[in-house]
Structures are given as C-alpha cells and as structure tokens.
C-alpha cells in the first residue's frame, strides 16, 4: 500500500540514488564506458522493502535525473536502466519478502539475468555506439560479463548486509524477516 510516508521515502531514495550515481568507477580499463556506482543498492532496498514495481519507479527517477543533470547520454542511461531492471526485478520477485534462502537465490538469479541480458544487449548496442565491428565487441565480451557480474555481486552483498536493518528503521511494524 502506498501511504504518504512511503511516497516520501521513495522520493528520498530516488534522490539519494541519483546523487550516489555520480560516483562513477570504471572497473576494467578495456571497457571504461562501464562505470560502477552503488546507486542500485538504494533501488534494490526499495524493491525489497516495498515491491519490484516501486523499485523500477525509483530506478527510472534516478536515471531520468542523471540523464538531465549529468550525462545527457541516452544510450548510457538506457543501458543503466536495463541492467538495473534485469537485476532488481527477478531478485525482488524471487525474494518475495520470504526468507534468507529466497533472498540469496534472488541475488544469484538477478545477477545471472543482468549479466547474461547485458552481454546480449551490449553485442547489439556497442557496435553502433562505438562504431566498431562486432568482432571487436566479441573481444570485449569477457570484460563486459566480468563488469556486470562484479557490479551486481557487490550490490547483492551490501544489500544482504543492510536490508533488514534499513527495513527495521523504515517499516518497524512490518519488519519480521
Ligand atoms: N551499465 C551496466 O550496468 N551494465 C552494462 O552492461 C552497461 N553497458 C553499457 C554500454 C554502453 C555502450 C554504455 C554507454 C553504457 C553502459 N552501461 C552499462 C551504463 C554505464 O555503466 C553507466 O552507468 C552509464 O553510462 C551512466 O554513466
């Protein structure tokens, strides 16, 4: 259910995620257009505590703000959104506010979905974006896969450590698991 408190919290999380997205760390020099930032942890928190739909809304607000105020790169933002959605939607659905096992399974399936899905998407997008032949993009594939696997593994571990505590603070009446 969406009450005024929840709408306010969702707005704060979207704003925080937008600011956190300014931390842009390229993990591998070979694919320095892929930049790690921890903002999807805030998105995943809202998806876990509220719902996958709320998570997608927070992800979209974060990306729209970042597009307007920082990057102005529609391809980069679309890829960030696609990666985030491929990760948080399966993770939050599988978790389903159930138990630790479902939560960990959610992280694993989410990370695999985002890593596999983004490998495919990059094969389609990168040849146009960098105007390089597909053979060249194939050489980047291990780095692209590695980047996404690392990015979403970090997000999973941090979310796994903090999500119950954050839930206890935000929704003390409902926080059981
Ligand atoms: N972000 C990801 O999390 N995974 C990706 O596979 C991914 N592929 C991208 C491919 C291209 C061509 C671009 C321009 C960006 C991509 N991004 C990806 C987003 C990037 O890491 C960064 O978040 C955005 O560019 C915003 O700075």
């Amino acid at each position: 259910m969406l009450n005024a408190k929840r709408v306010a919290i969702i707005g704060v999380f979207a704003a925080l995620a937008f600011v956190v997205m300014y931390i842009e760390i390229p993990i591998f020099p070979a694919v320095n257009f892929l930049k790690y930032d921890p903002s999807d942890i805030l998105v995943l928190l809202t998806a876990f505590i509220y719902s996958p739909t709320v998570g997608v809304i927070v992800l979209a607000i974060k990306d729209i703000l970042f597009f307007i105020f920082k990057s102005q790169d529609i391809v980069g933002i679309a890829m960030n959104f696609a990666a985030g959605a491929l990760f948080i939607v399966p993770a939050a659905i599988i978790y389903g506010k159930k138990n630790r096992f479902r939560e960990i399974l959610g992280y694993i399936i989410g990370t695999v979905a985002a890593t596999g899905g983004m490998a495919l998407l990059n094969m389609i997008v990168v040849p146009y974006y960098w105007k390089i032949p597909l053979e060249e993009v194939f050489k980047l594939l291990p780095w692209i896969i590695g980047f996404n696997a690392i990015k979403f593994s970090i997000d999973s571990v941090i979310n796994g450590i903090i999500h119950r505590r954050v839930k206890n603070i935000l929704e003390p009446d409902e926080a059981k698991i």
Side-chain angles (χ1 to χ4, degrees):
M1 202 214 24
L2 280 184
N3 56 35
K5 181 186 160 195
R6 287 185 179 183
V7 173
I9 290 171
I10 290 162
V12 169
F13 269 75
L16 276 175
F18 158 63
V19 174
V20 167
M21 207 175 158
Y22 275 76
I23 307 168
E24 295 185 291
I25 305 166
I27 300 180
F28 297 121
V31 284
N32 60 8
F33 56 98
L34 303 178
K35 285 161 273 178
Y36 177 75
D37 70 78
S39 65
D40 285 345
I41 298 167
L42 293 155
V43 177
L44 190 58
L45 280 172
T46 59
F48 267 32
I49 295 168
Y50 301 112
S51 70
T53 312
V54 167
V56 172
I57 292 168
V58 172
L59 176 65
I61 298 172
K62 170 200 89 159
D63 278 335
I64 291 166
L65 290 175
F66 197 79
F67 173 75
I68 295 171
F69 292 105
K70 178 71 176 25
S71 80
Q72 268 119 43
D73 171 20
I74 193 70
V75 176
I77 279 301
M79 295 297 267
N80 183 282
F81 179 84
L86 279 167
F87 173 59
I88 61 154
V89 171
I93 289 175
I94 293 165
Y95 168 48
K97 302 184 192 179
K98 297 285 194 306
N99 50 39
R100 193 70 165 170
F101 173 76
R102 292 269 298 255
E103 180 188 342
I104 292 167
L105 192 65
Y107 294 141
I108 294 169
I109 307 275
T111 301
V112 170
T115 304
M118 292 316 290
L120 275 174
L121 264 182
N122 272 284
M123 291 299 105
I124 299 164
V125 169
V126 173
Y128 294 98
Y129 190 83
W130 293 115
K131 301 188 175 47
I132 52 176
L134 192 58
E135 300 89 80
E136 292 298 312
V137 187
F138 269 122
K139 291 182 194 154
L140 301 178
L141 199 53
W143 301 110
I144 294 170
I145 291 172
F147 171 85
N148 285 298
I150 290 171
K151 170 176 174 172
F152 294 111
S153 298
I154 295 172
D155 289 358
S156 295
V157 169
I158 298 176
N159 192 73
I161 295 169
I162 66 175
H163 122 256
R164 277 172 194 75
R165 281 166 240 214
V166 176
K167 186 174 173 124
N168 277 320
I169 295 165
L170 297 182
E171 306 273 315
D173 306 330
E174 287 184 34
K176 283 188 234 67
I177 47 162

